[in-house]
Amino acid sequence: MIELLLTSFPVIIRYFQLKRRGEALSVWNMKTAVVMWAVMAFALFLVIFYFHPKSYSGLVPFRTVSVVAQTSGPVTEVNVVNGQRVAAGDVLFRIEDASQKAAVAEAEAQFDQIAAAETKAQDALKVADSQVKEIEANLTKLTVDLENAQTLVDRNVGRADDVRTAQAALDAAQAGLAAAQAQRDAATSDLEEGIPAQRRAAETKLESAKVALERTVVRSFAAGTVTQLAMSEGSPASTLILSPAMVIIPERSADTPARIVAGFSQVAMANLHEGMPAEIACDANANLSFRNAVLPARVVAIQPAIATGQVTPGAKLLDPNSVRQRGSVLVYMELVHPEHEEIVLDGAGCIVQTYRTDLPGMGGHLVAATGVVKAAGLRLKVWGSIISGVGLAGGGGH
C-alpha cells in the first residue's frame, strides 16, 4: 500500500493537468500516467522486497534443563513448587534411601573388620619374630653341639650316634627357622600389602555407597525457574529423560548475549550477510505506548546449511521428491543495545526485518533509502497487531 502511494504522483499530476485544461478524465487521457505508475510501483516493489528480506518466523530461543532422578524409588519429600526460583545446588526432592544407608553402614563396618585383621597380623608378626629369634639362638647351640660331637668322634672318644643326633636336631631347627621366617614374611606382607589393599577397596566401596546415598537427594545443577512439576510425595521417581520430574528454565548468563533466530527464504540468501542491520518486533513487546516494540538488531551469523537437506543413516534411501517443502536459511541476530535483552521474553515469536545498506554508489544509497518503507510497514504491522489482537504473525504479506 505504501509503495502504491509513493509512486502515484504521475497519476495525481496528470489528473490536475486535465482538470486545469478542462479536459474530460478518461482511460485514454490517463493511460501514460497509469503505465508510469504501474512501472514505478513494480520497480519499487521489486527493490524493496528483494533487497530487504523479512521473516515472520523469528524466535527468541532458550534452553531448558530436564530434571530426572539418578536412582529409582518413591519420593519422600518435594522441596519446590511450580514457578519457584532455585539456585544451583538447591534440593529439589528426596527419594527413599533406606537401602543406600544400609549400604553405607555395611561399608563402614568393613573398616572395623580391617582394623581387627591388622591387629591380628601385627600380633602374628610379633609371634613370628619371637620364634625366629628363639630358633636362631637354639641353632647356635645346636651347631656347637654338633661340632663337639664330631670332635669327639674324630678323637675316637665319642660315638657316631651322638653326631647323627646332633645333626638331626640342627636340621629340625633350621626347618623350624624357615617356617618361622615364612610366617613373619606372611604377616609382613599382610601389613604392607594385603591390609592396605583391603582398606583401599573398603574406601572405594564406602565412597560408592555414599554416592548412591547422595543420588537420593536430587539437586538443581542450574539457577532458574521450576516449571512443569509433575510429582508429589509418594510418586515413583523416574530415571527416564523422556519423563522428567520437572523442567528448569535456566537464567540467561550475563556473558551470553540473547540471540534471535529466524528462517528466511532461500531466495533471500543473496542479500543476507553478517553485520547486516535488522529490526526485531516481538509479540511479547507489542504495547499501546509503542515503547520498545521495535528493537534494533544485527545479523551475527548465518547457518551454512539448510536443515531439510541433512542426511542420516536409515533403512530407506533418500528420495528428494519426498521433501517438497523447501527449507529456510537460518539466521542468528543479536540486539544492538544490551539493555534490551532484559525486556525480550524467552520463546517470544517475532518478525525480523533486515535492511541492505552495503551496496556501493548512488544506486546503493537509493536501495538503502527504500528500507524506510519496510521500516514503516513493520511499525504499521505492530500497530495493526495491537488493534486486531491476532499477533504479528496473524496475517501474511509484506
Side-chain angles (χ1 to χ4, degrees):
M1 181 61 69
I2 297 177
E3 295 85 350
L4 293 175
L5 291 176
L6 292 175
T7 56
S8 63
F9 63 89
V11 174
I12 297 174
I13 294 174
R14 182 59 177 167
Y15 169 77
F16 283 107
Q17 284 180 346
L18 294 175
K19 186 176 181 180
R20 187 177 68 247
R21 295 173 185 175
E23 298 180 13
L25 185 64
S26 64
V27 176
W28 181 257
N29 291 336
M30 296 290 293
K31 65 180 185 302
T32 302
V34 172
V35 171
M36 290 179 61
W37 183 17
V39 171
M40 294 176 63
F42 175 78
L44 188 59
F45 270 106
L46 179 62
V47 170
I48 292 176
F49 294 158
Y50 180 74
F51 289 103
H52 307 295
K54 178 189 287 186
S55 172
Y56 285 88
S57 62
L59 183 68
V60 183
F62 66 98
R63 297 179 177 88
T64 60
V65 177
S66 298
V67 179
V68 296
Q70 299 298 311
T71 186
S72 58
V75 175
T76 59
E77 180 181 338
V78 179
N79 301 84
V80 294
V81 295
N82 275 318
Q84 179 177 335
R85 299 179 66 85
V86 294
D90 286 355
V91 176
L92 302 177
F93 60 93
R94 299 176 186 273
I95 303 172
E96 197 277 327
D97 57 1
S99 59
Q100 287 81 2
K101 287 182 177 179
V104 171
E106 180 181 359
E108 290 175 342
Q110 287 189 351
F111 285 94
D112 295 335
Q113 297 176 355
I114 293 173
E118 184 177 18
T119 301
K120 183 178 180 180
Q122 290 173 347
D123 293 341
L125 178 60
K126 292 178 182 178
V127 172
D129 280 337
S130 299
Q131 290 178 347
V132 167
K133 293 177 181 178
E134 180 181 354
I135 294 174
E136 286 177 345
N138 190 35
L139 276 175
T140 301
K141 176 180 178 302
L142 293 175
T143 301
V144 172
D145 291 345
L146 177 61
E147 291 176 352
N148 291 336
Q150 185 63 44
T151 299
L152 293 175
V153 170
D154 292 340
R155 294 177 180 178
N156 294 321
V157 294
R159 297 182 303 170
D161 288 342
D162 293 337
V163 173
R164 287 192 291 270
T165 301
Q167 183 64 53
L170 180 61
D171 293 341
Q174 289 176 339
L177 176 62
Q181 289 175 339
Q183 292 179 353
R184 184 180 63 182
D185 292 342
T188 302
S189 178
D190 284 343
L191 290 174
E192 295 179 355
E193 298 178 6
I195 300 299
Q198 293 177 17
R199 183 174 286 108
R200 288 192 297 271
E203 290 173 350
T204 301
K205 185 176 180 180
L206 177 60
E207 184 65 25
S208 177
K210 287 182 177 179
V211 170
L213 178 60
E214 179 63 24
R215 286 180 176 177
T216 62
V217 181
V218 180
R219 303 177 184 273
S220 174
F221 285 91
T225 304
V226 175
T227 185
Q228 295 186 17
L229 176 61
M231 69 183 327
S232 59
E233 293 184 10
S235 300
S238 174
T239 59
L240 300 177
I241 190 63
L242 297 179
S243 301
M246 65 189 73
V247 174
I248 294 178
I249 302 176
E251 297 176 353
R252 188 184 300 147
S253 172
D255 301 331
T256 305
R259 281 193 170 185
I260 297 89
V261 298
F264 286 82
S265 169
Q266 296 182 31
V267 177
M269 187 64 187
N271 290 292
L272 294 172
H273 61 86
E274 293 185 9
M276 189 176 191
E279 286 186 320
I280 310 296
C282 300
D283 285 305
N285 291 84
N287 57 84
L288 288 176
S289 67
F290 220 80
R291 180 179 175 84
N292 296 322
V294 179
L295 306 176
R298 192 167 298 276
V299 175
V300 294
I302 300 175
Q303 185 168 280
I306 306 298
T308 53
Q310 61 182 318
V311 178
T312 55
K316 296 182 180 180
L317 293 176
L318 176 66
D319 182 8
N321 194 43
S322 62
V323 187
R324 296 187 178 275
Q325 184 177 358
R326 300 298 186 188
S328 58
V329 178
L330 187 62
V331 178
Y332 297 85
M333 285 145 291
E334 291 181 2
L335 297 172
V336 173
H337 304 295
E339 59 269 20
H340 286 164
E341 295 181 6
E342 299 179 0
I343 62 176
V344 174
L345 182 65
D346 289 338
C350 310
I351 293 179
V352 177
Q353 176 64 64
T354 59
Y355 303 101
R356 185 74 184 270
T357 60
D358 63 333
L359 296 176
M362 181 59 67
H365 290 295
L366 291 175
V367 169
T370 59
V372 175
V373 176
K374 297 304 289 281
L378 178 62
R379 284 155 177 79
L380 287 174
K381 181 70 176 177
V382 175
W383 181 79
S385 71
I386 297 174
I387 299 301
S388 63
V390 297
L392 295 174
H398 297 271

